[in-house]
Amino acid sequence: MNLIPAVVKDEAFIAEAEKYQHDENNFHLWWLGQSGYLLLWKGKRVLIDPYLSDSLTRKYATTNKPHIRMCERVVDPQLLKNILIVTSSHNHTDHLDGESLIPLIKNNPLITFIIPEANREFVCDRAHIPKDFPVGLSEGKSVTIDDFTFHCVPAKHNEIDRDENGNCKFMGYIIRFGKWSIYHSGDTLWYDGMVELLKPFKVDLALLPINGNDPARGVAGNLNTKEAAELGKAIGAQVVIPCHYDMFTFNTADPKDFAKEAEKIAQGYHVLEIGGHFSSSFFAE
């Protein structure tokens, strides 16, 4: 099949990010596919849940659950330099990809790696890093790295799963910097108390999955298009950007359906193309 083209990729992607390196007024965000993003603010770069390889396509090629890729890779992880922070929200490979993380960490020796504390041993084994390298968080915990504060909230995928110490294995992050607040849910369903937990953060931008929860796929599920729009509305997010679609043929959704649901309830939204760019200047439009 013909892959969905990236708007920009590899060296052109790096060059586009460089154009905004000295913007002191706005933050910038690029969708890397699935639930991966590059966040740039005042020259500082945060990489959120990057999946920048074909590791899952190769892994499942001869199984009854082939992960047939739909879109081009946006950027070779070898090209990513000057990354301040990288995150993983949980252990599934499209959110914790060794083939993305190993070269990234090698080329960014001062990087901070934020993970669920419950997953420390697994993460370190997959990323080939020392056990004390990542910063581990769990529900209600936070950490400030430079100008970015990460607050940890639970994610339900398909349960709110914890280790023997009560630490969440699946997490979402509220990222606060300057006057902005971004919610990256990780993979999650809607759960009791979720809205009450998120509303106090006054989220400007919510990055939410829309691929839904179909047990026939044989994988844990997520919010669907309607739920993602309604969650954004319920927590007071100015804008929702949908994600977790157009990566694998067996586990996707149509962002046009999300757009219709958002419009029904007057929820602000922005649908990005693969490699597409969003700026906080959008809020003023």
Side-chain angles (χ1 to χ4, degrees), residues 58-233:
R58 291 194 303 274
K59 178 179 178 180
Y60 289 100
T62 59
T63 72
N64 61 359
K65 192 168 60 180
H67 284 48
I68 300 169
R69 191 181 182 104
M70 297 176 65
C71 65
E72 291 184 330
R73 183 182 67 176
V74 173
V75 63
D76 182 340
Q78 295 276 7
L79 298 176
L80 292 168
K81 305 290 177 65
N82 301 314
I83 304 297
L84 179 68
I85 300 164
V86 63
T87 73
S88 167
S89 61
H90 63 282
N91 284 348
H92 293 159
T93 302
D94 54 336
H95 299 259
L96 179 72
D97 180 39
E99 292 186 20
S100 301
L101 291 166
I102 291 169
L104 178 77
I105 292 170
K106 180 181 178 181
N107 291 334
N108 295 272
L110 300 180
I111 199 169
T112 296
F113 188 12
I114 297 176
I115 66 166
E117 176 57 36
N119 302 342
R120 180 176 295 274
E121 187 170 347
F122 186 95
V123 168
C124 293
D125 181 65
R126 177 167 287 181
H128 299 177
I129 51 177
K131 293 294 190 293
D132 61 352
F133 184 83
V135 174
L137 296 178
S138 192
E139 179 180 359
K141 303 295 184 181
S142 64
V143 64
T144 299
I145 308 295
D146 206 306
D147 292 324
F148 298 89
T149 298
F150 285 72
H151 299 269
C152 173
V153 296
K156 183 179 180 181
H157 191 50
N158 276 6
E159 301 297 333
I160 297 179
D161 199 5
R162 302 178 188 274
D163 68 7
E164 63 276 9
N165 297 314
N167 296 314
C168 293
K169 295 182 179 181
F170 302 94
M171 296 199 321
Y173 298 109
I174 303 285
I175 309 170
R176 306 189 87 171
F177 53 99
K179 64 180 182 179
W180 306 110
S181 183
I182 294 177
Y183 171 45
H184 183 276
S185 69
D187 280 359
T188 193
L189 300 171
W190 199 313
Y191 56 84
D192 290 343
M194 189 179 198
V195 171
E196 293 75 14
L197 180 64
L198 294 171
K199 280 187 77 170
F201 287 102
K202 301 186 186 307
V203 171
D204 297 293
L205 176 63
L207 310 173
L208 302 179
I210 62 167
N211 58 303
N213 184 27
D214 181 358
R217 295 171 178 166
V219 294
N222 277 319
L223 302 168
N224 61 30
T225 55
K226 186 173 188 290
E227 291 165 337
E230 291 180 345
L231 180 61
K233 190 73 171 181

Side-chain angles (χ1 to χ4, degrees), residues 271-285:
V271 175
L272 289 175
E273 297 179 83
I274 300 295
H277 170 232
F278 175 89
S279 167
S280 54
S281 61
F282 176 89
F283 293 122
E285 295 179 359

